[in-house]
Amino acid sequence: MKRLKLNFIIVAGLSFGLLAFSAIREGGIQGRISPAEGASQVLAIAGKDTLRATVNNGVFIFSKVKPQTYTIMVKANPPYKDSSVENVAVVDSATTDVGEIKLLQ
């Protein structure tokens, strides 16, 4: 009986240890800027973390993003105005598509 309890404790301890060291699954954020030449840089901001992505043919992609909620800031080129999208949620191993962000003049 003591041996059975000891085996159970060892197995339970190893199981919890493996869970503690499991890798954090990262997600991503993607979207499109309209007009395509309206911006050259996009920021993803969460707390003190700021990620930067370039705009290529109107498309931006953030990869290896920690799961949390972000604000997407589009730094516009003149004559367009900066724009933002709030509450963009990233979950484990998924890419969040914010769709098309239309810039105003």
Side-chain angles (χ1 to χ4, degrees):
M1 191 67 158
K2 285 185 179 184
R3 184 165 178 84
L4 181 63
K5 286 181 182 179
L6 182 60
N7 286 342
F8 177 76
I9 291 171
I10 291 172
V11 169
L14 288 174
S15 297
F16 287 125
L18 290 174
L19 290 174
F21 292 106
S22 64
I24 295 174
R25 294 184 211 122
E26 298 169 328
I29 302 171
Q30 67 183 18
R32 295 169 307 287
I33 306 295
S34 176
E37 71 279 358
S40 58
Q41 187 177 56
V42 179
L43 308 174
I45 303 167
K48 294 182 181 181
D49 293 336
T50 301
L51 305 172
R52 289 174 170 52
T54 57
V55 179
N56 188 8
N57 293 323
V59 175
F60 65 91
I61 299 173
F62 293 94
S63 56
K64 297 185 179 180
V65 178
K66 290 188 279 186
Q68 55 186 335
T69 302
Y70 292 85
T71 297
I72 304 301
M73 299 280 299
V74 178
K75 296 296 184 178
N77 298 327
Y80 299 100
K81 296 180 181 176
D82 292 351
S83 184
S84 65
V85 178
E86 295 184 1
N87 299 318
V88 176
V90 176
V91 296
D92 288 349
S93 303
T95 299
T96 302
D97 189 344
V98 296
E100 182 178 26
I101 301 172
K102 294 184 180 185
L103 300 177
L104 303 175
Q105 289 188 348

